[in-house]
Structure formats: C-alpha cells, structure tokens
Amino acid sequence: MTALNDGIQAHNRRRTTLGTFVSNVAVRRFAWQALAAVALFGGVFWLASNLQHNLAARNISSGFGFLTREAGLPIAEHLIAYTPADSYFRALLVGTLNTLWVAFWSIILATILGTAIGVARISKNWLLAKLASIYVDLFRDVPLLLQLFLWYTILQKLPPVRQALNPIAGVFLSNRGLSFPVVDWQAAHSWILLAFVIGLLATTLYAKRASRKQLEDGRARSFWPVVITLLVIIPLVVGLSLGASVIIDIPQPKGFNIRGGITVSPEFFALLVGLVVYNAAFIAEIVRSGLVSVGRGQQEAARALGLHPKSILTWIVFPQALRVIVPPLTSQYLNVTKGSSLAVAIGYQDIVSIATTSMNQTGQSIELVGIIMAVYLTISLSISLMMNVYNARVALVER
C-alpha cells in the first residue's frame, strides 16, 4: 500500500513539473518562435525547390554568370563611362546611378517646394493660402503616371533647337531638353570645394560651441566674421594660390543641336518635374500639419517678447514642428525613390528600364527582378537609416 502511494505521489510530482514547464511564458514564446522559423525556412525551401524544378523543366539557365557578358545595350545618359561593349553588370550599375541621381534631386527640390507651399498654406494672406491649397488638391489627386505623361508631352511639343526658347540669358528650352551654363571644372576647383566643406563643418562646430557658451555666461559671440573667414576667405585663398580661374561654359544653339553647357534630356527633365510637383503636394501637407501642431501660446509668447515673425517661424515653430514632420517625411522620401521606377514609361533609362531590356536579351528574369528589388531595398533602408538618425536628434528628450 505504501509503495502504491509513493508511486502516485511521484506521478503527481512529474505532472506538476511538466505543467509548470509548459505554462512558462518564456518557454511558450521560444516554442512559437521556433515553430515560426521552421515554417518560414520550410516555405522558402519549397519555393526555391519548385522554382529550380520549373526552370530545369523549361531548359532555362539560372545564375548570375550573365553579368560578365557583353551587354550590347546603348544607354543615352550615364554618370560613369559606358559603351555598349561593357558588361551587363556595368549597364545595371549605370541604371542604378541614374535612379539615385533623379531620386536625389527630386527629394531635394520636392522638399524645398513642399516646405514653401506648406508655409503658404497657413499664411494669413488669403490669396496665397488659397493658391497653395489649390496646388495641393490639384497635384495630389492626379496619379503620378498621368502627370509624367503630361510633362513629357509638353516637353515634346517644345520648339526645335533653331527656335529654342530663351527665358534667361544662357538658358535654352527646346525639344532636346533644358540647356544651361556650367562652370568649366578644373582640378583646383576640387580643392576649393574641399576647403568649403571643411569650413562648413568647422562653422557648424563653432556655432554649437558658441551656443553652449552663451547658455553658460549669457554673452553672445560674434558669428559672421567666423563664417566669412571659413566659408569665403579660406576657399578664395586656396583658389588663388592654385591659380584657379572661373570659365563659364555657355550653351549655344548650332545646327540641329546645342553645343556647350549642360543639356538635360526631355526624359530626365519630365521625370524630375513630375516627381517634384507630385511629391511636393504631399510634403506641403506634412509640413502644414507639423506647423499647426505647435501650440499658439508659444507663438503669442514669442510675439510678446518682440520677436519678428520670421524669427518666430525659424527659431520657435520649425524646431518643434520637425518632431512631427520628420517621421511621415521619411515615408514620403521612400515614395519619391520608388516612384522613380515609373521612368520606364517615358523612356528614361533607370535601373528598371535597363533590367527590363536585359531580361529580354538574356531571359534571366528571376535574377534581374531580384537585382531590382535589392537595389530599391538598399536605397530605401539607407534613406530610413539617415532619417531615423536625424529624427533621434530632433526628438523631444524626456527626463
């Protein structure tokens, strides 16, 4: 009898131990995560096996060996040296740089235009506020692809080179695109630019140090002499010592083309204008929402202290509005980059356009789609990283 009771008690203790182990929250979380990981890897393995089987059944080769083959693909616009005799890898690199180039300028210009329109939206000037509101409603509600077709059609209807429009001296607008003057770049100019960038960094550090010192002793430091010295005088001295000269290369219509200066193709110009105009409407609303999120009491307090409206906007409203503006602005920058993939619709040779042509030539569609996805994923993650770092700097620190 005693042996039977001991056995029952031992069995109960084992059940209690097993129940405690199963009911442990950490164990259950680990088990669910392990199960999800097994399901994920199993699904990926099944998809890869199925893909490999189907490619083999259709006698389609796979792999990235085609990247070293000669592309034979003409590319009109390239930021690095390129000829059709180069490899597919270099052709895709040219397409990636073209995507980055148009995305970079689109983000810069859309931010400037969107910020100006966002400020105009809350202006006390009735006409200015209404015009800004009409702009937002007009361009935000029309699909980007249609706007790209519109701008490209308008540029195609411009007069030929011989009758090119000349709105500003040295600037020509024709069906060949936009031509404008450019400085004839010399080796000494690179050193001047380097001196300017170093001066800009030094100026930023000096401004921070001066602000910190002012908070400590309440005495304002003279700022402009340092700025002029670091950003103007030192680069000027570097340029004079290296014998740099400023030669402006002005475009001139000659025959059926324009010689000199820089000419932006109609495809690039239409894509840039479409991306800037479309995304500026969204950025304007983001900026407006950030500005109105700042309490009116702070603006009234700044007015009571006698601050100028421009100073109130620059030093009181905008720094606080950035905490609201930056997170949605990051998403809009990602939309700008992804929207540039519509370039293929108007013939601008970005990564999507070049990869699509490469697919038709090589049949390596899986690999090329993967390359396109990897390029956009890398660009998007880089933008997110930079914006998150900036957001952390402007975020409100709670103590």
Side-chain angles (χ1 to χ4, degrees), residues 235-278:
L236 193 60
V237 170
V238 171
L240 292 175
S241 61
L242 295 175
S245 58
V246 179
I247 301 174
I248 306 297
D249 188 8
I250 300 175
Q252 292 293 336
K254 290 184 179 178
F256 296 99
N257 212 336
I258 292 181
R259 306 290 182 187
I262 284 185
T263 299
V264 177
S265 70
E267 291 79 13
F268 178 87
F269 195 35
L271 179 63
L272 180 66
V273 172
L275 287 173
V276 170
V277 170
Y278 178 75

Side-chain angles (χ1 to χ4, degrees), residues 9-30:
Q9 290 176 1
H11 177 70
N12 290 336
R13 282 197 297 272
R14 285 196 297 273
R15 290 188 60 185
T16 303
T17 304
L18 180 62
T20 304
F21 180 75
V22 173
S23 62
N24 188 289
V25 176
V27 171
R28 288 211 308 270
R29 286 178 178 173
F30 177 78

